[in-house]
Amino acid sequence: MVFQEEHITEIGKKLHQAGMKLTPQRRATVNTLLKYQTKHLSAEELFTLIKLEEPEIGLATVYRTLDLLTELQIVERVTFDDGVARYDLRRADQQHFHHHLLCSVCGKVEEIHEDLLGEVENEVLRKYGFTVQDHRLTFHGVCEACSRKERYQDQG
Amino acid sequence: MVFQEEHITEIGKKLHQAGMKLTPQRRATVNTLLKYQTKHLSAEELFTLIKLEEPEIGLATVYRTLDLLTELQIVERVTFDDGVARYDLRRADQQHFHHHLLCSVCGKVEEIHEDLLGEVENEVLRKYGFTVQDHRLTFHGVCEACSRKERYQDQG
DNA sequence: GTCGGTGCAAACGCTTTGCAACCTA
DNA sequence: TAGGTTGCAAAGCGTTTGCACCGAC
């Protein structure tokens, strides 16, 4: 995938700028993040998948790499209420226009890449004097597929 | 505080309805939650405070009580990105109109009790077919006090 | 040769659980 | 007195850290 290679070299550059190396382990981690984009995988889940490409890698290295990528703002760490950290590759074009829909029936996590909060953030500044730099917005509810199923069951 | 007593008996009723008892430990926990409302304390912090009223209480009981109150929707469990659960007494009149402002300078957590998301939730239903039941919204940024300080420093 | 990066195992902090004793409705 | 509730200690789980070894520049 050319697209993927571009991403990797771009990330390699960022690492270099920070005086750090693009090791095979880090490359494999980024590859896996790219491959499972928007899946919101935990460190342990990523570890299992990364091992397919880089079997010798250790869990600690995965954590360290994810921390590093988070600091460089290449990935975003999200914590839902289960307390487990999940990791998301950040799109280059995306500031913080990124929300989650968490279905309480099937557990699926959907992403919305659209800024729903522009006006709301202005309001927060106006009313509370709070300057918003970033946000975390997760909606809990029922996704389209599950709603349909529920309606179906109610009738049947 | 009459207000507080009302709350306690009301919560006692809810427990009763669920076939559970209002023990001294639970009473002390609710009292402390009332006393430090909107402080977003962790279980450990609450434990320390509850012990002032009920010195024999164990940490496990605090966790169990908080779990119980969360299930009964009397308190709300919030997890910011540090991964530690914090607990918030739910106001009777409040559905989910409750957001957080997290200052990245001083670490303070402010609450907003105002529904900023009514229109946004309609949009989510319209565009994504997702029926919103609840949400978590946290703004990361700089609070009014810290903004003022920063402006002052820039000038001085 | 230096210095960052790695794997392993041990440690860590928050949370949950097993169990015997307790106590309240 | 029956069943929920408790305190304690141990275990659980995700995450971090110490350390010796490795490998690229």
Side-chain angles (χ1 to χ4, degrees), chain B residues 24-90:
Chain B
Q25 289 90 336
R26 290 178 181 168
R27 182 181 283 274
T29 303
V30 173
N31 276 339
T32 305
L33 281 167
L34 277 163
K35 197 164 162 190
Y36 296 91
Q37 247 182 68
T38 79
K39 288 280 181 197
H40 305 88
L41 301 174
S42 67
E44 205 107 19
E45 289 165 339
L46 282 165
F47 174 55
T48 308
L49 293 167
I50 296 166
K51 276 213 281 197
L52 301 176
E53 186 174 332
E54 192 67 30
E56 297 302 299
I57 198 170
L59 179 55
T61 302
V62 173
Y63 273 106
R64 283 187 282 233
T65 303
L66 291 170
D67 282 357
L68 182 62
L69 295 175
T70 304
E71 262 167 50
L72 295 178
Q73 311 217 25
I74 293 164
V75 313
E76 206 166 316
R77 188 205 311 266
V78 199
T79 309
F80 300 124
D81 272 359
D82 63 354
V84 189
R86 302 177 171 279
Y87 300 84
D88 233 14
L89 209 56
R90 251 182 145 135

Side-chain angles (χ1 to χ4, degrees), chain B:
Chain B
M1 218 188 284
V2 177
F3 177 66
Q4 186 157 323
E5 266 312 313
E6 261 175 46
H7 258 276
I8 293 277
T9 49
E10 196 187 307
I11 289 167
K13 256 185 244 167
K14 279 200 193 180
L15 285 171
H16 230 248
Q17 281 168 17
M20 282 148 177
K21 297 168 189 169
L22 182 57
T23 63
Q25 289 90 336
R26 290 178 181 168
R27 182 181 283 274
T29 303
V30 173
N31 276 339
T32 305
L33 281 167
L34 277 163
K35 197 164 162 190
Y36 296 91
Q37 247 182 68
T38 79
K39 288 280 181 197
H40 305 88
L41 301 174
S42 67
E44 205 107 19
E45 289 165 339
L46 282 165
F47 174 55
T48 308
L49 293 167
I50 296 166
K51 276 213 281 197
L52 301 176
E53 186 174 332
E54 192 67 30
E56 297 302 299
I57 198 170
L59 179 55
T61 302
V62 173
Y63 273 106
R64 283 187 282 233
T65 303
L66 291 170
D67 282 357
L68 182 62
L69 295 175
T70 304
E71 262 167 50
L72 295 178
Q73 311 217 25
I74 293 164
V75 313
E76 206 166 316
R77 188 205 311 266
V78 199
T79 309
F80 300 124
D81 272 359
D82 63 354
V84 189
R86 302 177 171 279
Y87 300 84
D88 233 14
L89 209 56
R90 251 182 145 135
R91 293 193 189 171
D93 59 340
Q94 149 200 339
Q95 296 301 319
H96 52 185
F97 307 152
H98 173 190
H99 318 296
H100 294 108
L101 306 180
L102 210 155
C103 179
S104 54
V105 179
C106 65
K108 193 178 63 180
V109 181
E110 275 178 81
E111 278 191 5
I112 304 182
H113 290 277
E114 176 184 1
D115 189 15
L116 301 168
L117 295 183
E119 186 39 45
V120 173
E121 292 181 1
N122 289 336
E123 214 174 321
V124 167
L125 178 57
R126 257 198 326 272
K127 288 195 189 166
Y128 305 93
F130 189 94
T131 311
V132 175
Q133 293 169 334
D134 197 1
H135 59 232
R136 294 280 179 282
L137 173 57
T138 305
F139 289 108
H140 299 241
V142 185
C143 73
E144 189 159 29
C146 289
S147 302
R148 249 202 299 270
K149 270 180 228 158
E150 281 182 5
R151 242 170 311 174
Y152 185 73
Q153 283 184 347
D154 287 350
Q155 287 171 5

Side-chain angles (χ1 to χ4, degrees), chain A residues 20-21 23 25-26 56-58 61 64:
Chain A
M20 281 147 178
K21 298 169 190 168
T23 63
Q25 289 90 337
R26 289 178 183 169
E56 297 302 298
I57 199 172
T61 302
R64 284 188 280 232

Side-chain angles (χ1 to χ4, degrees), chain A residues 30-57:
Chain A
V30 173
N31 276 338
T32 306
L33 282 166
L34 277 163
K35 197 164 163 189
Y36 296 92
Q37 247 181 68
T38 78
K39 288 281 181 196
H40 305 88
L41 300 174
S42 67
E44 205 106 22
E45 290 166 337
L46 282 165
F47 174 55
T48 308
L49 293 167
I50 296 165
K51 276 212 281 196
L52 301 175
E53 186 174 332
E54 191 68 30
E56 297 302 298
I57 199 172

Side-chain angles (χ1 to χ4, degrees), chain A residues 55-120:
Chain A
E56 297 302 298
I57 199 172
L59 181 55
T61 302
V62 173
Y63 273 106
R64 284 188 280 232
T65 303
L66 291 170
D67 281 357
L68 181 61
L69 295 175
T70 304
E71 263 166 48
L72 295 177
Q73 312 218 24
I74 294 164
V75 312
E76 205 166 317
R77 189 205 309 268
V78 199
T79 309
F80 300 123
D81 272 358
D82 62 356
V84 189
R86 302 177 172 277
Y87 300 85
D88 235 13
L89 209 55
R90 249 179 145 138
R91 294 192 189 172
D93 59 338
Q94 148 199 337
Q95 296 301 320
H96 53 187
F97 306 152
H98 172 188
H99 319 296
H100 295 107
L101 307 180
L102 211 155
C103 179
S104 54
V105 179
C106 66
K108 193 178 63 181
V109 182
E110 274 179 82
E111 278 191 6
I112 305 183
H113 291 277
E114 177 183 2
D115 189 14
L116 301 168
L117 296 183
E119 184 40 44
V120 173

Side-chain angles (χ1 to χ4, degrees), chain A residues 3-4 15 22-23 27 40 45 62 93 101 107 113 127-128 131 144 150 153:
Chain A
F3 177 65
Q4 188 156 321
L15 284 172
L22 182 55
T23 63
R27 182 181 282 274
H40 305 88
E45 290 166 337
V62 173
D93 59 338
L101 307 180
H113 291 277
K127 289 195 188 166
Y128 303 93
T131 310
E144 189 159 28
E150 281 183 6
Q153 283 185 347

